[in-house]
Amino acid sequence: MSTRLEVRKTYKLFIGGAFPRSESGRTYEVRDAKGGFLANAALASRKDARDAVKAARAAQAGWAGATAYNRGQVLYRVAELLEGRRDQFAAEVAAGEGLRAKEAEAVVSAAVDRWVWYAGWTDKVAQVAGAANPVAGPYFNLSVPEPTGVVGVVAPQRSSLLGLVSVLAPVLVTGNTAVVLSSTDRPLPAITLSEVLATSDVPKGVVNILTGRVTEVAPHLVGHMDVNAVDLTGTVGADGVSWAELEATAADTVKRVVRPGGESEPDWTVTPDGPRRILAFTETKTVWHPKGI
Amino acid sequence: MTIRLFVGTMPRMTHSATDARTASGPAAGEGSTGTVALHHTAGTQASGAEIVAQAHHLTGQATLDDAGLARYLRGLPGVDKVGADGRAQMLGTRSIKTSAKAWALDATVRMIDLTTLEGADTPGKVASLAAKAKNPDPNDPDCPRVAAVCVYGDLVPHATAALEGTGIHVAAVATAFPSGRASREVRLLDTREAVAAGADEIDMVIDRGAFLSGRFSAVFEDILAVREACGTGPDRAHLKVILETGELATYDNVRRASWLAMLAGADFIKTSTGKVAPAATLPVTIVMLEAVRDFHRATGVHIGVKPAGGIATAKDAMKYLVAVNETVGEDWLNPDLFRFGASSLLNDVLMQRHKLRTGVYSGPDYISVG
């Protein structure tokens, strides 16, 4: 019997709905928790980040313009497809994070549930965070949360799927688009998530995922003048990165910044206590409307 | 015929788009080779009769009727389409970095004909465009000015008023732009009105229907007549002839139309109106540049080239600059002989300049409209 040649997968970036290699042509080795070889992933450069921001900007108006109900349906469909890739995710999480099969299964379940939890917020967040303000004049005065625009996300380094979902989903809920820098050492679940997003109904460019070194790409992403907000949660535990320096860079262009919660990564298994992360990437629009005479 | 040569530091030429600040010496990145920089203006000051005489001489035809012109134009060597596409592809791969990139970005700004050609144009839109032409990047006083502002004929007075004394030219599209489908009288009147209103550059369209059906003499006479309508003497309006290459179907036709326009006295040949797809492409521009190069070898006259439409990024623009340098040479790398017809290109070039200056990627939120 002839031996079958292995068909190996090329792990690539996810930019504007396509899967390009890094513009730089570089790759790096991804190893499992025990140090064994897993894959060669694309090593993103600052130019890949620039291209991703361009794609995210192009997609932003369309995604924000969709009705909240529609965004909820699209995000829920992503959860359906995540469920379909359960085994692949579980295997990648187990290998990358050094978990037993049972534990990895639980992480995948939690990630799918987290995605559904955020999907449900799309058409509710305006009721919770919006308000009809009493004003001293003959006006209706209404405040509503609006998406801030393009958000750069440094995804958690340790929790490569549940952590990623927990930071990405809230960005998308209100109509922001995202450029995600995945966990450097554990990028495989992020790459698989990009394959899920590519085959779901999420418009191209709404989510862009880069794999590579945080030290190299994050400063350019944070400094990019066309990025409106950054989530620095994943800088905890990333080599040679100071979130305070990144925050100072972000201040040059008055970006919204979500700082890491503490010295170590938060416990992602805990259900969020509210739409805090969603509202971190919104602007409040207030409308004054004259009352009829 | 006389060819006017200018040394870079001589008094200001009669029709120069070179900014006074940069005309006095080599631009950054150009380097000093020890040779004297020569500046050429596009076209000649020849009279209509001299143009016709030269056309007789160049074509070797006793009569410049349809048959005579057809014999000459169809006798031009054919263009190898695969070769031209391949050459364009190859030239597009050149890597332009650091100081050369900085030079190319500034040169691109100086070569731009900042254009608005919409039915919805208003005096206000033209005023904001003129403001942007004068001061493209308000945050950077070193940013050069564009070469010209290009508008429809009826908006020329507003453009001239806003740009008076700046050295920025006012270009008007005339001759029933973009189709050219009007009687010759109407098209000439269109031209004369724009010139009278102060336009010092006229962008005319050729009658593509006539060209494609072999009525070459009609096209030749049209161009000659519009050239006359542009005035005489050193201050006459410069004539750019739009070939609308997107409607010419083949590269052979592009080469023939280029020659026909140059024989009839065009100062510039321009690819497109921007209203027809495809607009400017790199291979088509290379074919036109080759025609310009051959015309220069035959006559010593420098003809300008203006790709227009669809060039939206600094990266694209640099590919064109490479093609110019490789096809006709450095002489043409100045706004008197090469222009970009563009509306959104300037914004991308400004963002790239910002990136080069600060190391930070810029965004459209930080660029003024217009």
Side-chain angles (χ1 to χ4, degrees), chain B residues 287-324:
Chain B
V287 170
M288 289 166 62
L289 286 165
E290 284 171 348
V292 163
R293 177 195 62 199
D294 295 345
F295 190 80
H296 174 249
R297 279 183 189 158
T299 65
V301 175
H302 293 74
I303 302 294
V305 177
K306 176 177 170 185
I311 305 167
T313 65
K315 209 172 192 172
D316 286 344
M318 274 185 236
K319 291 178 186 177
Y320 281 85
L321 296 184
V322 169
V324 170

Side-chain angles (χ1 to χ4, degrees), chain A residues 1-253:
Chain A
M1 206 179 101
S2 64
T3 48
R4 185 170 171 270
L5 284 174
E6 275 186 74
V7 179
R8 291 223 173 95
K9 180 169 160 181
T10 310
Y11 293 86
K12 299 199 264 189
L13 307 175
F14 183 51
I15 298 173
F19 292 95
R21 290 177 170 83
S22 169
E23 156 280 332
S24 63
R26 301 171 306 171
T27 58
Y28 69 106
E29 284 190 5
V30 178
R31 299 193 167 272
D32 64 21
K34 295 194 187 91
F37 177 80
L38 271 183
N40 284 309
L43 184 60
S45 69
R46 64 183 167 85
K47 292 191 179 178
D48 292 315
R50 173 200 63 187
D51 293 346
V53 171
K54 201 170 182 190
R57 173 57 65 194
Q60 205 269 324
W63 181 238
T67 61
Y69 175 68
N70 181 233
R71 275 201 303 278
Q73 284 183 312
V74 168
L75 292 178
Y76 185 80
R77 168 126 177 102
V78 173
E80 294 174 9
L81 299 181
L82 283 171
E83 194 66 39
R85 294 242 195 177
R86 170 175 282 279
D87 293 345
Q88 186 182 357
F89 277 117
E92 287 167 351
V93 168
E97 298 179 24
L99 302 178
R100 284 196 292 275
K102 269 254 171 58
E103 294 168 331
E105 281 276 326
V107 166
V108 176
S109 297
V112 177
D113 293 350
R114 184 67 41 84
W115 195 279
V116 172
W117 190 84
Y118 275 116
W121 271 106
T122 52
D123 57 357
K124 299 172 187 70
V125 69
Q127 289 95 309
V128 173
N133 311 309
V135 290
Y139 301 98
F140 290 119
N141 187 278
L142 307 171
S143 293
V144 284
E146 298 254 307
T148 187
V150 173
V151 180
V153 177
V154 182
Q157 299 300 311
R158 185 182 50 77
S159 180
S160 56
L161 180 63
L162 181 55
L164 170 68
V165 164
S166 302
V167 295
L168 173 59
V171 167
L172 304 178
V173 165
T174 54
N176 297 301
T177 53
V179 177
V180 181
L181 194 50
S182 81
S183 167
T184 303
D185 295 335
R186 305 176 180 87
L188 299 193
I191 296 169
T192 307
L193 177 65
S194 69
E195 289 161 11
V196 166
L197 293 164
T199 50
S200 72
D201 299 323
V202 177
K204 64 176 184 179
V206 168
V207 181
N208 305 276
I209 297 180
L210 307 175
T211 55
R213 294 194 199 99
V214 178
T215 38
E216 183 188 349
V217 183
H220 294 283
L221 190 57
V222 172
H224 198 307
M225 294 167 78
D226 206 22
V227 171
N228 302 96
V230 285
D231 183 343
L232 301 178
T233 304
T235 55
V236 172
D239 286 339
V241 182
S242 150
W243 64 262
E245 274 177 29
L246 291 176
E247 185 172 3
T249 306
D252 286 343
T253 43

